Amino acid sequence: MTLSGAQRTRLGLFLLTGMLLLGGTLFGVLGSTLFAEVDLYSVRFKESVSGLETSSQVKYQGLRVGRVHSLRIAADEPGAIEVTLALKPGTVLYQGTEARLDSSALTGLTTINLSPGDPRKSKLTPGVQLPAGMSFTDRITGQADAIRIKFETLTNQLIRWTGDSNRARFEHLLDDTHKLVKDLDATVVALRPALLASARSVEDAGRGAVRLAHAGTRTLRSTQDVVRSTGARTQAAFNEVDRILKGVDVSGVAQTLTSAQATLRKIDAAVGRVDLTGAIKGVDG
């Protein structure tokens, strides 16, 4: 199929427009990254950086703050990988900030996570080298080693506890315990009649105490009734005496006593004048 000149012109313009749009898009996406101002820091890792690539994310406590700018083998230390970090301008880092490698078990990608430094210390200036912190894998490995050491210690202790001497002691202890249980069982069987008799005695004593308590209660009630009746009679006698005393003429009683006293004085004087001795002798003669 032969294209006419007009068709070839339109096709050329279409392709040119598409290339311009594609170039503009790429420039808009990559240009802002390539030509943007960033703060550069470096860090050296002496462990494997597998999964870490250029443009890998750099995070600060999980927040994305930049990307990996470049990776290379350190010129003065062949066993270390020098990684250049490009952080957003104005990202504040303090003394003590460490760069750690974090690997994803699902994607296999590795990122760099920055730990916070001490805000009481001075700020870091761009261009300095950050210390490399222990990666998640190393921390897990260290914890696994610690667990392994503890497990070995526990195993050794179990082996020592289950040795021949300790096993013999344990068997001897079991035998003694079995004998003790048998002796206790025999003792309980032998003491069972005496215990039952003691229980019956205690029960009888309890019943006697209950009967005694009932009897004491009845006695107290009877005494209470007697006291009440005696008190009523005593009160009646007091009332009668009070009534009689209220009917007595105090002034008349006083006059009568005065008269009686005068009469007794007269009788006493008359008796004193009589010669009782002579009268008695005359009677005898």
Side-chain angles (χ1 to χ4, degrees):
M1 180 179 179
T2 303
L3 298 176
S4 62
Q7 289 176 340
R8 288 195 297 269
T9 302
R10 287 196 296 271
L11 180 60
L13 291 174
F14 177 77
L15 293 175
L16 179 61
T17 302
M19 292 177 64
L20 290 175
L21 290 175
L22 180 60
T25 302
L26 292 175
F27 181 80
V29 174
L30 300 178
S32 58
T33 303
L34 295 175
F35 300 103
E37 293 184 0
V38 292
D39 293 337
L40 298 179
Y41 295 87
S42 65
V43 58
R44 289 187 177 186
F45 295 105
K46 296 182 180 180
E47 58 185 302
S48 174
V49 293
S50 177
L52 188 67
E53 303 290 344
T54 302
S55 299
S56 294
Q57 294 183 7
V58 178
K59 298 181 179 181
Y60 182 89
Q61 289 290 87
L63 176 66
R64 183 175 180 178
V65 293
R67 60 182 178 82
V68 174
H69 184 268
S70 63
L71 301 93
R72 68 184 183 89
I73 300 174
D76 57 343
E77 193 176 2
I81 304 298
E82 186 172 354
V83 181
T84 302
L85 311 179
L87 306 184
K88 294 179 181 179
T91 302
V92 179
L93 301 179
Y94 292 95
Q95 290 283 346
T97 299
E98 294 180 344
R100 298 179 180 139
L101 293 173
D102 285 341
S103 299
S104 174
L106 297 177
T107 63
L109 298 177
T110 301
T111 60
I112 294 179
N113 194 20
L114 302 178
S115 64
D118 190 349
R120 295 171 298 181
K121 296 182 180 179
S122 60
K123 297 179 181 179
L124 298 177
T125 57
V128 301
Q129 180 176 317
L130 301 177
M134 185 179 294
S135 65
F136 177 76
T137 303
D138 290 340
R139 293 197 298 272
I140 293 297
T141 303
Q143 293 176 359
D145 290 339
I147 293 174
R148 178 182 56 80
I149 293 173
K150 292 180 180 179
F151 183 76
E152 289 179 355
T153 303
L154 178 61
T155 303
N156 294 331
Q157 291 178 351
L158 288 175
I159 293 174
R160 187 171 63 254
W161 291 342
T162 56
D164 293 338
S165 59
N166 289 333
R167 185 169 61 252
R169 293 193 187 100
F170 185 71
E171 292 176 355
H172 183 67
L173 177 62
L174 289 179
D175 292 338
D176 292 342
T177 304
H178 181 67
K179 292 178 182 178
L180 177 62
V181 171
K182 291 180 63 176
D183 293 341
L184 287 176
D185 184 64
T187 302
V188 170
V189 171
L191 294 178
R192 187 171 183 274
L195 293 175
L196 291 176
S198 298
R200 293 192 187 96
S201 299
V202 172
E203 184 179 3
D204 294 339
R207 291 176 180 175
V210 171
R211 290 194 296 270
L212 180 62
H214 289 324
T217 302
R218 290 193 298 270
T219 302
L220 289 175
R221 289 177 179 175
S222 300
T223 304
Q224 185 178 11
D225 294 337
V226 171
V227 170
R228 287 178 179 175
S229 60
T230 303
R233 290 194 295 271
T234 302
Q235 185 64 35
F238 284 159
N239 292 336
E240 182 65 20
V241 172
D242 184 64
R243 185 184 64 77
I244 294 173
L245 291 176
K246 288 182 179 179
V248 174
D249 186 4
V250 178
S251 59
V253 172
Q255 293 177 359
T256 301
L257 291 175
T258 302
S259 300
Q261 186 178 10
T263 303
L264 290 174
R265 289 176 180 174
K266 291 178 180 181
I267 292 172
D268 182 64
V271 171
R273 289 193 298 268
V274 174
D275 187 7
L276 293 179
T277 303
I280 292 173
K281 288 180 178 181
V283 172
D284 292 337

